[in-house]
């Protein structure tokens, strides 16, 4: 996203300010917290980051030393073996830090327990401070998200004419991923969900486990995203294989109305609860209230689920520069589900919808 290293230094400074000057420690082990290290340093590998005041050090092992030096610029990189515990504690003690903040939502108890036994310092938990900082995106981050959305849109447009009755869910998912990656996606935004028939009622379906083949009359749901500079899009479209049933059309119309009314309610200053409360009655009044169990949307960025949240439980208020999904759905066990998901950038007066693939009617494919 950026070759400007000052961006990372500024983020680190903002984080320390948000912690009232306290030192901060974060680690990424087996993908436990890729986003925090990448956001604060540009580093995409495993290691521990310790920040205190303007001082920062990245501890990592020999597998990542060269990579770290390429990715983090000015920040000091220290190669060691036990960057989770012993070497991290030594760096804390060397700086004379009495208190170090860590993100409770990211750390494991075994990490916490090992580290606290190693020195005379106090580890203070806060929920997830970097996630809070990341909620409002810069123009550069929004540009990466726009690209990720456009890549997903265009790969999907290339895929649909290839769909045929008899193809299976896993093969279609793989083809969609291939189209996104050859078009420039860094990888996939998250595990691609392609589901047909009554599998469409399963919100986080894994096509590789089902491999159901398409039949005429099936609903076919795609929930997928591309990844650009680490930033992930997240889009859902539902189509029909062959000709759609009357029930599928009716459900689609309700979900589409909920999606569009919610999008028109998004703007800075509105709460996540309030936007959810625009979509939900559309579905409830149509008699499907108990078939829309999840929240309306979630922030996207370096992770596919981040702040803000649009749901009945949300504590967030939308601000200019937040990027969120809007994804109402109706799921009927034994029949199937329809979800329509778009990605939007919050503005002062409304929002910019960055996913552009048409949704105005239930498309019929495969014949
Ligand atoms: Zn999705
Ligand atoms: Zn989503």
């Amino acid at each position: 996203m950026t070759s400007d290293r000052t961006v990372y230094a500024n983020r680190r400074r903002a984080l320390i300010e948000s912690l009232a000057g306290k030192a901060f420690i974060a680690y990424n082990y087996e993908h436990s917290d890729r986003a925090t290290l990448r956001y604060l340093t540009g580093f995409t590998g495993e290691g521990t980051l310790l920040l205190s005041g303007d001082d920062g050090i990245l501890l990592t092992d020999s597998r990542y030393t060269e990579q770290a030096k390429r990715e983090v610029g000015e920040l000091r990189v220290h190669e060691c073996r036990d960057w989770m515990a012993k070497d991290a504690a030594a760096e804390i003690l060397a700086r004379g830090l009495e208190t170090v903040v860590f993100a409770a939502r990211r750390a494991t108890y075994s990490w916490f327990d090992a580290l606290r036994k190693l020195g005379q310092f106090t580890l203070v938990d806060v929920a997830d401070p970097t996630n809070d900082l990341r909620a409002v995106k810069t123009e550069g981050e929004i540009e990466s998200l726009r690209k990720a959305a456009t890549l997903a849109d265009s790969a999907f447009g290339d895929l649909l004419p290839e769909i045929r009755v008899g193809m299976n869910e896993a093969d279609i998912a793989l083809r969609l991923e291939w189209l996104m990656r050859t078009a420039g996606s860094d990888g996939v935004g998250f595990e691609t969900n392609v589901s047909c028939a009554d599998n469409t009622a399963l919100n986080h379906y894994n096509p590789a486990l089902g491999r159901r083949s398409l039949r005429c009359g099936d609903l076919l749901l795609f929930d997928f995203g591309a990844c650009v500079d680490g930033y992930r899009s997240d889009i859902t479209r539902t189509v029909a294989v062959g000709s759609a049933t009357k029930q599928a059309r009716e459900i689609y119309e309700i979900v589409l109305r909920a999606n569009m009314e919610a999008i028109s309610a998004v703007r800075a200053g509105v709460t996540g609860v309030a936007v959810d409360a625009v979509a939900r009655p559309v579905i409830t009044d149509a008699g499907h209230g108990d078939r829309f169990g999840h929240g309306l949307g979630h922030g996207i960025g370096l992770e596919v689920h981040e702040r803000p949240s649009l749901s009945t439980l949300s504590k967030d208020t939308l601000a200019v520069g937040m990027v969120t999904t809007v994804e109402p759905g109706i799921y009927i066990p034994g029949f199937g589900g329809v979800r329509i998901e778009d990605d939007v950038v919050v503005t002062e007066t409304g929002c910019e919808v960055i996913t552009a693939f048409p949704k105005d009617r239930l498309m019929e494919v495969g014949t």
Side-chain angles (χ1 to χ4, degrees):
M1 182 197 69
T2 177
S3 55
D4 184 0
R5 301 285 172 202
T6 60
V7 168
Y8 298 111
N10 288 340
R11 288 172 180 173
R12 294 196 289 270
R13 202 164 299 129
L15 174 72
I16 295 299
E17 264 174 40
S18 78
L19 301 174
K22 291 195 190 72
F24 177 71
I25 191 164
Y27 69 92
N28 179 39
Y29 172 68
E30 303 264 340
H31 304 325
S32 64
D33 193 3
R34 285 184 286 189
T36 291
L37 268 63
R38 186 161 188 176
Y39 183 75
L40 294 173
T41 71
F43 181 52
T44 59
E46 293 180 292
T48 291
L49 175 67
L50 177 64
L51 303 175
S52 64
D54 280 339
D55 176 53
I57 187 165
L58 178 71
L59 312 180
T60 189
D61 59 71
S62 63
R63 297 171 300 163
Y64 295 107
T65 312
E66 197 51 38
Q67 176 186 334
K69 284 179 180 163
R70 288 185 195 183
E71 289 178 336
V72 308
E74 306 290 281
L75 187 72
R76 200 140 45 90
V77 175
H78 175 53
E79 184 181 305
C80 54
R81 293 294 296 274
D82 192 4
W83 46 260
M84 291 273 283
K86 238 191 255 158
D87 295 298
E91 295 294 337
I92 294 171
L93 292 169
R95 286 163 178 74
L97 300 171
E98 289 172 7
T99 304
V100 185
V101 173
F102 72 99
R105 289 212 189 110
R106 305 287 181 169
T108 63
Y109 183 78
S110 65
W111 170 86
F112 169 78
D113 196 43
L115 199 54
R116 74 169 169 177
K117 284 175 180 157
L118 285 166
Q120 295 298 311
F121 48 79
T122 307
L123 293 167
V124 176
D125 64 295
V126 294
D128 197 354
T130 316
N131 194 13
D132 297 341
L133 281 188
R134 285 173 20 225
V136 171
K137 271 69 184 175
T138 61
E139 188 47 45
E141 292 177 291
I142 291 169
E143 196 45 42
S144 298
L145 285 163
R146 280 194 196 101
K147 285 182 191 159
T150 303
L151 266 175
D153 276 341
S154 68
F156 188 56
D158 292 342
L159 174 75
L160 280 188
E162 297 181 5
I163 302 280
R164 292 288 176 270
V165 170
M167 288 171 81
N168 84 53
E169 295 160 331
D171 288 346
I172 297 168
L174 183 61
R175 178 67 180 155
L176 180 54
E177 290 177 3
W178 190 90
L179 287 165
M180 287 193 291
R181 294 189 72 144
T182 51
S185 181
D186 299 350
V188 288
F190 54 92
E191 279 191 16
T192 303
N193 170 359
V194 174
S195 52
C196 69
D198 60 337
N199 291 342
T200 53
L202 278 58
N203 290 178
H204 287 169
Y205 178 72
N206 181 344
L209 298 180
R211 296 181 181 271
R212 178 98 58 97
S213 295
L214 303 187
R215 290 182 305 195
C216 262
D218 280 354
L219 279 170
L220 176 58
L221 182 149
F222 305 80
D223 188 352
F224 61 102
C227 188
V228 172
D229 305 317
Y231 288 79
R232 289 139 210 275
S233 56
D234 180 9
I235 169 172
T236 304
R237 289 292 183 267
T238 310
V239 302
V241 181
S243 42
T245 63
K246 185 164 171 282
Q247 188 181 9
R249 280 187 197 292
E250 283 169 3
I251 291 170
Y252 191 91
E253 287 304 316
I254 299 162
V255 174
L256 179 62
R257 207 162 69 239
N259 166 284
M260 292 175 67
E261 288 188 17
I263 287 173
S264 66
V266 170
R267 69 181 148 73
V270 175
T271 65
V273 169
V275 182
D276 184 280
V278 170
R280 204 160 292 277
V282 175
I283 289 173
T284 306
D285 293 350
H288 295 293
D290 56 346
R291 291 161 171 168
F292 174 31
H294 58 75
L296 178 68
H298 53 86
I300 52 170
L302 288 172
E303 292 177 296
V304 73
H305 293 119
E306 49 183 60
R307 286 188 60 203
S309 138
L310 308 182
S311 81
T312 54
L313 303 172
S314 175
K315 293 184 169 59
D316 294 319
T317 298
L318 297 183
V320 173
M322 286 183 171
V323 184
T324 175
T325 69
V326 175
E327 51 178 306
I330 294 174
Y331 313 96
I332 303 174
F335 172 75
V338 170
R339 180 166 62 256
I340 303 172
E341 177 176 28
D342 288 298
D343 302 341
V344 307
V345 181
V346 178
T347 66
E348 198 64 63
T349 53
C351 67
E352 172 197 347
V353 183
I354 60 175
T355 39
F357 196 86
K359 62 182 175 187
D360 54 326
R361 63 188 176 83
L362 181 57
M363 289 177 73
E364 296 175 337
V365 304
T367 51

